[in-house]
């Protein structure tokens, strides 16, 4: 495996883990306000890039771009809600079952075939979620519901992006997502707006920075080497999140909870490997 790809994917995972940590740290703020700042922070990068590269803002497949933005906003908002109710490692692990839902959507909407081995991988990952619910005392029903529904909407995202195809630049797709999230999040947080004080401004604005660099380094990693070699590394975000959560928030996990998280991540990594081997075969 290309060393640069490993470094890029590790940096991406760390950036997303830090994003999760600061969302948890800012738990006193309304979730829509967090979504608003997360989106505004990223727009500081995407808008100048569109202007610099003379890429049309409105794109071509506007209905699909708007749909992607609305679905992404819903998934992100629900995930941030889940972080408020669950330990971060559990929330991230459950969100990562989105490929299971993506496969279902692809089966019915794109008529893609799914290997029997992939179904086995999904069963392993889903078993992990069931065990996590049973053995993690930090799991509550409302948090679990937010995380699972977030995963369902996250699973829709790659299907919509596949429909968009190469008709629109990736930055245009991200820009739609962030503008829609900023508008809806901004409007929804007005009633419960809490003015940040001191370092809180920096923490809120940094959310978009971590999100942007997480996406940037993931893209760089995927461009550097074969997807099947580097894609499984994105799941080290779970490890980073668990470690930082344990140090910063004193979050604790039983051995059975950690085993459940291992099952989720293992099932999803195996699915990536099998899916890519199918493409290469």
């Amino acid at each position: 495996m290309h060393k640069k790809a490993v470094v890029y994917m590790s940096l991406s995972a760390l950036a997303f883990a830090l994003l999760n940590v600061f969302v948890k740290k800012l738990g006193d703020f309304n979730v829509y306000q967090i979504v608003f700042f997360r989106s505004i922070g990223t727009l500081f990068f995407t808008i100048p890039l569109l202007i610099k590269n003379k890429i049309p803002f409105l794109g071509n497949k506007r209905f699909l771009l708007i749909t992607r933005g609305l679905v992404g906003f819903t998934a992100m908002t629900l995930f941030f809600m889940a972080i408020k109710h669950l330990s971060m490692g559990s929330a991230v692990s459950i969100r990562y079952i989105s490929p299971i839902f993506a496969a279902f959507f692809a089966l019915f909407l794109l008529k893609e075939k799914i290997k029997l081995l992939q179904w086995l991988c999904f069963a392993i990952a889903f078993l992990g979620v069931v065990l996590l619910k049973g053995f993690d005392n930090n799991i509550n029903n409302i948090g679990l519901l937010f995380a699972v529904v977030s995963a369902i909407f996250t699973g829709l995202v790659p299907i919509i992006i596949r429909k968009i195809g190469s008709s629109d630049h990736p930055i245009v797709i991200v820009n739609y997502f962030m503008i829609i999230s900023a508008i809806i999040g901004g409007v929804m947080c007005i009633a419960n707006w809490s003015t940040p004080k001191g370092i809180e401004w920096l923490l809120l604005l940094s959310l978009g920075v971590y999100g942007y660099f997480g996406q940037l380094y993931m893209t760089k990693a995927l461009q550097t080497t074969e997807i099947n070699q580097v894609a499984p590394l994105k799941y080290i975000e779970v490890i980073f999140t668990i470690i930082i959560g344990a140090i910063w928030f004193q979050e604790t996990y039983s051995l059975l909870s950690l085993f459940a998280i291992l099952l989720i991540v293992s099932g999803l990594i195996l699915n990536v490997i099998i899916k890519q081997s199918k493409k290469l075969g």
Side-chain angles (χ1 to χ4, degrees), residues 73-194:
F73 163 77
T74 305
M76 178 168 61
T77 303
L78 289 168
F79 176 62
F80 288 172
M81 287 178 175
I83 286 180
K84 285 175 175 280
H85 291 273
L86 305 175
S87 57
M88 289 189 299
S90 298
V92 172
S93 301
I94 295 168
R95 182 194 63 179
Y96 266 138
I97 65 170
S98 61
I100 299 176
F101 300 111
F104 276 104
F105 291 133
L107 179 66
F108 293 107
L109 299 177
L110 302 178
K111 309 301 179 188
E112 287 187 1
K113 292 181 180 179
I114 303 171
K115 279 187 172 182
L116 183 61
L117 278 175
Q118 284 181 270
W119 289 116
L120 179 61
C121 294
F122 294 153
I124 292 170
F126 192 74
L127 175 62
V129 175
V130 173
L131 290 176
L132 197 60
K133 170 64 178 121
F135 296 114
D136 188 342
N137 294 327
N138 295 316
I139 296 280
N140 61 52
N141 290 331
I142 188 69
L144 179 65
L145 179 64
F146 285 146
V148 171
V149 179
S150 171
I152 293 172
F153 277 92
T154 303
L156 261 178
V157 170
I159 307 302
I160 298 169
I161 291 175
R162 286 277 301 279
K163 288 285 188 181
I164 294 171
S166 58
S167 300
D168 287 295
H169 195 283
I171 299 175
V172 174
I173 299 172
V174 173
N175 204 54
Y176 261 84
F177 172 28
M178 291 295 102
I179 286 176
I180 288 170
S181 297
I183 292 170
I184 300 175
V187 171
M188 296 288 284
C189 76
I190 291 173
N192 296 296
W193 177 268
S194 177

Side-chain angles (χ1 to χ4, degrees), residues 8-273:
Y8 287 146
M9 193 58 91
S10 299
L11 287 171
S12 170
L14 181 59
F16 282 127
L18 289 170
L19 170 60
N20 301 332
V21 168
F22 286 121
V23 168
K24 185 84 168 181
K25 179 71 176 173
L26 294 161
D28 291 338
F29 285 89
N30 178 274
V31 70
Y32 294 110
Q33 191 169 344
I34 293 174
V35 167
F36 171 74
F37 277 100
R38 156 72 175 93
S39 307
I40 289 292
T42 298
L43 287 172
F44 282 129
F45 295 94
T46 57
I47 291 176
L49 280 171
L50 289 173
I51 294 170
K52 179 186 175 184
N53 295 298
K54 297 179 180 177
I55 301 168
F57 272 68
L58 295 178
N60 298 306
K61 295 193 173 179
R62 293 169 194 173
F63 175 76
L64 286 173
L65 288 166
I66 292 169
T67 303
R68 187 268 179 266
L70 292 170
V71 168
F73 163 77
T74 305
M76 178 168 61
T77 303
L78 289 168
F79 176 62
F80 288 172
M81 287 178 175
I83 286 180
K84 285 175 175 280
H85 291 273
L86 305 175
S87 57
M88 289 189 299
S90 298
V92 172
S93 301
I94 295 168
R95 182 194 63 179
Y96 266 138
I97 65 170
S98 61
I100 299 176
F101 300 111
F104 276 104
F105 291 133
L107 179 66
F108 293 107
L109 299 177
L110 302 178
K111 309 301 179 188
E112 287 187 1
K113 292 181 180 179
I114 303 171
K115 279 187 172 182
L116 183 61
L117 278 175
Q118 284 181 270
W119 289 116
L120 179 61
C121 294
F122 294 153
I124 292 170
F126 192 74
L127 175 62
V129 175
V130 173
L131 290 176
L132 197 60
K133 170 64 178 121
F135 296 114
D136 188 342
N137 294 327
N138 295 316
I139 296 280
N140 61 52
N141 290 331
I142 188 69
L144 179 65
L145 179 64
F146 285 146
V148 171
V149 179
S150 171
I152 293 172
F153 277 92
T154 303
L156 261 178
V157 170
I159 307 302
I160 298 169
I161 291 175
R162 286 277 301 279
K163 288 285 188 181
I164 294 171
S166 58
S167 300
D168 287 295
H169 195 283
I171 299 175
V172 174
I173 299 172
V174 173
N175 204 54
Y176 261 84
F177 172 28
M178 291 295 102
I179 286 176
I180 288 170
S181 297
I183 292 170
I184 300 175
V187 171
M188 296 288 284
C189 76
I190 291 173
N192 296 296
W193 177 268
S194 177
T195 303
K197 298 173 184 175
I199 197 171
E200 289 175 344
W201 282 105
L202 182 62
L203 293 179
L204 283 163
L205 288 170
S206 73
L207 297 176
V209 178
Y210 287 124
Y212 172 77
F213 280 103
Q215 199 66 48
L216 174 68
Y217 283 117
M218 182 187 291
T219 303
K220 282 179 175 288
L222 295 172
Q223 289 173 334
T224 304
T225 189
E226 287 115 11
I227 293 174
N228 65 313
Q229 290 188 353
V230 76
L233 287 176
K234 71 179 180 179
Y235 295 107
I236 61 176
E237 178 191 343
V238 176
I239 298 171
F240 283 143
T241 303
I242 288 174
I243 292 171
I244 298 170
I247 295 170
W248 198 332
F249 299 105
Q250 288 76 53
E251 291 183 344
T252 57
Y253 300 85
S254 67
L255 285 176
L256 283 170
S257 296
L258 291 172
F259 175 67
I261 289 172
L262 179 64
L263 279 180
I264 295 170
V265 174
S266 299
L268 296 172
I269 288 174
L270 286 170
N271 172 59
V272 172
I273 294 170

